Amino acid sequence: MYPEILHNSFLHTYGVLVALAFLAGLWMAGRLAVRAGLNSDAVTNLGIYCALAAIAGAKVMMILVDLQYYRQHPGEILSLGTLQAGGVFYGGLIGALAIAWWYMRRTKLPLWKTADVFAPAIALGHGIGRLGCFSAGCCWGVRCSLPWAVTFTNPVAKDLVGVPLHVPLHPTQLYESFAEFLIFGVLYWRTRQTHRPGAIISLYLMLYSTARFLVEFFRFHEQGNLWGGPLDTSQWISILLFLAGGFYFVRARRAVPSLT
């Protein structure tokens, strides 16, 4: 919609909102860390490491799901377009989780308790980040004839991300952003209730994977399909994360009879 904050400037709306998303998520994680009795400095440092790992992981996943294209055009791997692309969120999540596991072992932060602190922060930051996607036009939806369809008209957006212009599309970025803000509200409320460590992050995995699975049906798939078949790569990952989150969530509820 509005890819540039100022016309013909280097200041892109997507970059500004992603930076805001990172700061908001980091602030929320620090706030929840204090409430949970964790070392807020260690949690803040963990957030920074995870953000860097998420950027790298998102790019790696983007290349993997469209590996055939990058094999044919290896120069594109380090191109400006690839560096500017947001990548695949699930790749970023996997990268962040791997670094988080390593850092928490090193600093002796409790694994599940720390993960619970970051779950609402991730949802909040991701919700803001998807607004950045909407402003740039990336991650766009398929054609839509519904009253809330959106039509991109800014040629800068097409140049940056390739979104089709003057075509009514599903606002999949807004679908996911709304879902993430709703998930954040649920998780934030849940952190104030009695729960076993790990219950919040497992609930996040269940809620987000469900939302992502559904949104993918309305999204234009500019990346390839890593495993083929009727479901795309993100939907298969969604199924796996839902099962993992559901398994631990059930265990957590059984361990705390007072939960409702």
Side-chain angles (χ1 to χ4, degrees), residues 188-234:
Y188 187 80
W189 168 81
R190 194 70 181 83
T191 60
R192 305 177 71 90
Q193 313 301 312
T194 303
H195 63 272
R196 183 184 180 186
I200 308 301
I201 187 65
S202 60
L203 181 58
Y204 165 75
L205 292 177
M206 293 170 64
L207 293 176
Y208 176 70
S209 61
T210 300
R212 181 62 181 265
F213 184 89
L214 296 174
V215 169
E216 285 296 308
F217 285 114
F218 304 98
R219 182 173 169 180
F220 176 79
H221 299 114
E222 50 185 324
Q223 281 99 18
N225 189 340
L226 185 59
W227 294 306
L231 301 180
D232 66 37
T233 306
S234 292

Side-chain angles (χ1 to χ4, degrees), residues 3-18:
E4 297 175 301
I5 292 180
L6 296 175
H7 184 59
N8 290 330
S9 73
F10 67 91
L11 201 58
H12 292 167
T13 311
Y14 174 80
V16 171
L17 285 173
V18 167

Side-chain angles (χ1 to χ4, degrees), residues 59 62 76-86:
K59 295 288 195 299
M62 179 181 72
E76 288 295 313
I77 294 177
L78 297 178
S79 69
L80 181 61
T82 299
L83 294 176
Q84 288 180 332

